Amino acid sequence: MYTIPKTSTTDMEVTSIRLEKELKDRLKKLANNKGYQALIRDILWTYVQQKSGDYQPQLSNSDIRASLPATAQQEERCVLTGKVIRPSEGMLLGLTNNGDMVPLSIDSLED
């Protein structure tokens, strides 16, 4: 997941967002000791990076346990190279060490 340099909370703007109780509880569980607000910031930064084209991959080949051939149904971005994968283009789905399925370009696992 994308991580920005640590910013003091006093330098952040306060905002309010309404979340379903179940979503907030799940975020808290996923965050462990990190805090769910920091997790939400990481999720939002990752989204912004992916959508803005400034995506900086945070995984390496060693983070991928297995891969399966697939076809993109919508535009994706390879988590290893940042390369755009267009709809109907061949791709791989990579299983990460923590159990996530991530998009990979066909040539991204080659050395």
Side-chain angles (χ1 to χ4, degrees), residues 11-103:
D11 293 332
M12 295 181 188
E13 290 188 25
V14 175
T15 190
S16 176
I17 182 171
R18 295 189 183 275
L19 303 173
E20 294 86 350
K21 181 177 179 355
E22 181 182 354
L23 176 58
K24 185 175 175 182
D25 291 343
R26 286 185 177 198
L27 287 167
K28 284 181 177 182
K29 185 175 179 180
L30 289 171
N32 293 321
N33 295 331
K34 182 177 173 184
Y36 79 98
Q37 291 181 356
L39 176 60
I40 290 171
R41 282 193 298 275
D42 281 350
I43 291 167
L44 290 172
W45 273 115
T46 298
Y47 180 84
V48 166
Q49 292 296 316
Q50 289 174 343
K51 294 300 181 181
S52 69
D54 296 333
Y55 183 64
Q56 299 171 354
Q58 299 296 308
L59 296 176
S60 67
N61 288 17
S62 63
D63 295 313
I64 306 298
R65 294 173 43 190
S67 63
L68 304 165
T71 302
Q73 299 301 307
Q74 61 188 26
E75 188 173 286
E76 300 284 353
R77 192 171 293 271
C78 176
V79 299
L80 296 179
T81 66
K83 177 182 172 185
V84 172
I85 304 166
R86 308 239 179 262
S88 301
E89 187 177 344
M91 61 180 277
L92 299 172
L93 285 176
L95 176 64
T96 67
N97 291 327
N98 64 358
D100 295 326
M101 294 294 285
V102 295

